Amino acid sequence: MDYSDLPLINSDDDRYMRMAIVQADIAEANGDVPIGCVIVHDDQIISKAYNQREQLQDPTAHAEVIALTQASAALENWRLHGCTLYVTLEPCAMCAGALVLARIDRLVFGCHDAKTGACGSLYNIVQDSRLNHTVRITSDVLAEACSEQLRTFFRNRR
């Protein structure tokens, strides 16, 4: 799919979200829900991942979890201070908890998830002041493209 016709929002957020969408394309090509993720540190991509639940038969193989593991390996540290995570769909409770535990500074996501979203839609785990870390959120980056990718996937599956 060509994403060059998508509207420009913020040059960095736009660029990295487009890369996350490409990762989501890989998930879809492998028969999984098209969700993609990239993690950026010091203006460099240190990890990129896509959903692999079907491929690995692992309920925890969400794009965010795989990307967090890769980023920790790249930085040789489980604390991901200074990192921004870009993902095409609002993280679920498991992934939101992992973002807090990893000390991610910023989360940028494409579309909201009214059914399982835990970063504003159903819950806001990443900004719960009772926890030891909070994450800044930017949402709705290329939201229509991210949303359409998911709608098309599920429409084709039915």
Side-chain angles (χ1 to χ4, degrees):
M1 183 172 186
D2 179 20
Y3 302 104
S4 60
D5 60 339
L6 298 176
L8 184 65
I9 296 172
N10 164 302
S11 58
D12 287 339
D13 288 351
D14 179 84
R15 179 168 43 111
Y16 293 128
M17 187 60 72
R18 288 173 192 265
M19 292 177 186
I21 291 171
V22 169
Q23 291 299 302
D25 287 339
I26 298 169
E28 184 172 9
N30 287 318
D32 217 318
V33 177
I35 299 171
C37 180
V38 298
I39 298 179
V40 176
H41 181 263
D42 290 338
D43 297 318
Q44 298 290 317
I45 294 176
I46 59 169
S47 69
K48 53 187 177 179
Y50 52 88
N51 265 13
Q52 296 182 48
R53 293 183 308 167
E54 297 298 332
Q55 188 176 357
L56 300 176
Q57 290 299 297
D58 179 353
T60 67
H62 289 203
E64 301 94 321
V65 172
I66 295 167
L68 288 169
T69 299
Q70 292 173 355
S72 293
L75 295 180
E76 297 180 342
N77 196 332
W78 63 268
R79 293 175 192 87
L80 299 178
H81 295 292
C83 291
T84 299
L85 183 142
Y86 293 84
V87 65
T88 56
L89 181 66
E90 177 184 359
C92 69
M94 174 184 71
C95 294
L99 296 179
V100 170
L101 294 173
R103 312 297 197 271
I104 286 285
D105 284 350
R106 183 171 174 245
L107 163 67
V108 179
F109 67 86
C111 56
H112 289 268
D113 185 347
K115 293 183 180 179
T116 65
C119 299
S121 291
L122 292 178
Y123 312 101
N124 195 348
I125 292 170
V126 298
Q127 292 185 328
D128 189 326
S129 62
R130 296 171 295 176
L131 299 176
N132 64 335
H133 178 76
T134 59
V135 179
R136 289 178 296 138
I137 298 174
T138 301
S139 63
D140 300 316
V141 175
L142 299 180
E144 185 53 38
C146 295
S147 193
E148 182 58 31
Q149 188 176 39
L150 288 162
R151 276 193 302 271
T152 300
F153 173 80
F154 286 113
R155 187 179 317 120
N156 292 339
R157 300 271 297 208
R158 292 185 184 115

